[in-house]
Amino acid sequence: MLPEELAAEFKAMGLPGYRAGQVFRWLGRGVRAFDEMSDLPASLRRELAGRYTIPTLTLLRRQVSKADGTEKYLWALPDGESVETVLMRYKHGNSVCISSQVGCRMGCAFCASTIGGKVRDLTAAEMLDEVLRTGLTAGAEISNIVLMGIGEPLDNFDNVLRFLTLVNDPNGAGIGMRHISLSTCGLVEAIDKLAALHLQLTLSVSLHAPDDETRSRLMPVNAAYGVDELYAACRRYFDVTGRRISFEYALVRGVNDTPAHARELARRLGGTGSHVNLIRLNRVEERGLEPSDEETVRAFAKILTDAGVTATVRRRLGSDIDAACGQLRRGQMRKPWNSLD
Ligand code: SAH
């Protein structure tokens, strides 16, 4: 519940407003039981426990990368579904990558999350619990959030927005919008809707190809919104919010990684101040697509930077623990449900 909803609920019970504030602060710290809310009278704790439950995620599996300390969590949801969260430790703070849906219906050709389709949306509370529970289990203070896990966040717009409001609240987790990134495969109407809210978060767009022909091979969403429409929406987003968009581009061998693709990308993005995040494709067993080799990645990046488009090659973290894009949930799905290793 949002603070004002909790306040209304408490008012209806004839309780003073500050009690709602106390409970909201406890929930924002991730307590699992009313009994832990030590500044509430015991009688109120009992009353609340009789009327309400605090649904939480339960840990199915935790993997820690030997190489770089990245941690991957597989969480069970109250209905038995599962989602993944990744914790990345950087010098500037800890970042969690959260899922926004169980599965995904966007169908990208290289992505493990979409293989079984979308099962359901995550609620705002479940997304919040991914952040809180991961921080508590890892013993790590979370300073940044990226919505780049399983699911298409803009396909779950209202719940994601509610989550952002909750996690941003200074009496809750208090994570500033400038510390949050949201990644989308490019749902144009939703990008416009988001722009109108003037949030200070960072929007990333998964482009993966500069032209319709190549993009349609990789991303079915391109049939609904072609690249011209998408570039135009990105432009409007920048004009309305003043926030630059960053573009994700996973390099797939022989598909979108040629010098001609790089030049076309530079032509489309040149002069917009956009940033391109180049990602070496993570191999997904079921997909049959291969990552580009190091040299091709470097050459691709150089064409962009020579043309004045800033490009960075994303560091690979957690590749020894299936940290990419729905791979752990897939692995779990191949096994009998709830076998943990
Ligand atoms: N649905 C959203 C966010 C989740 S995916 C989106 O499409 O942006 C987060 C990023 O990982 C996206 O850029 C996605 O295209 C990319 N991705 C998915 N599978 C990948 C893979 N096998 N290798 C590299 N990047 C991948």
Side-chain angles (χ1 to χ4, degrees), residues 274-291:
S274 323
H275 178 90
V276 178
N277 223 315
L278 295 172
I279 310 163
R280 281 192 72 212
L281 185 80
N282 271 297
R283 285 197 74 245
V284 176
E285 218 174 272
E286 291 90 335
R287 294 318 221 173
L289 297 169
E290 295 294 328

Side-chain angles (χ1 to χ4, degrees), residues 110-112 147-149 151-153 183-185 206 208 248 250 279-282 284 325 327:
F110 43 77
C111 182
L147 284 114
M148 291 190 187
E152 167 49 48
S183 179
T184 178
C185 65
S206 300
H208 302 315
E248 289 152 287
I279 310 163
R280 281 192 72 212
L281 185 80
N282 271 297
V284 176
C325 319
Q327 294 182 3

Side-chain angles (χ1 to χ4, degrees), residues 72-75 82-86 97-106 111-122 127 130 146-154 156 160 183 322-331 333:
K72 181 121 185 184
Y73 292 82
L74 184 70
W75 298 109
S82 59
V83 287
E84 300 172 26
T85 309
V86 181
C97 174
I98 66 161
S99 298
S100 56
Q101 296 178 318
V102 181
C104 183
R105 62 192 185 105
M106 297 298 137
C111 182
S113 300
T114 202
I115 292 171
K118 182 185 104 169
V119 178
R120 69 170 173 89
D121 290 329
L122 289 187
M127 289 181 259
E130 286 185 73
V146 296
L147 284 114
M148 291 190 187
I150 297 172
E152 167 49 48
L154 296 187
N156 184 15
V160 164
S183 179
D322 284 348
C325 319
Q327 294 182 3
L328 195 57
R329 176 169 170 266
R330 280 300 299 165
M333 285 163 73

Side-chain angles (χ1 to χ4, degrees), residues 28 137 231 238:
T137 312
Y231 288 126
F238 174 68

Side-chain angles (χ1 to χ4, degrees), residues 168-187:
N168 184 234
D169 195 294
N171 290 318
I175 296 177
M177 283 292 174
R178 283 180 180 265
H179 294 263
I180 301 177
S181 296
L182 185 152
S183 179
T184 178
C185 65
L187 302 179

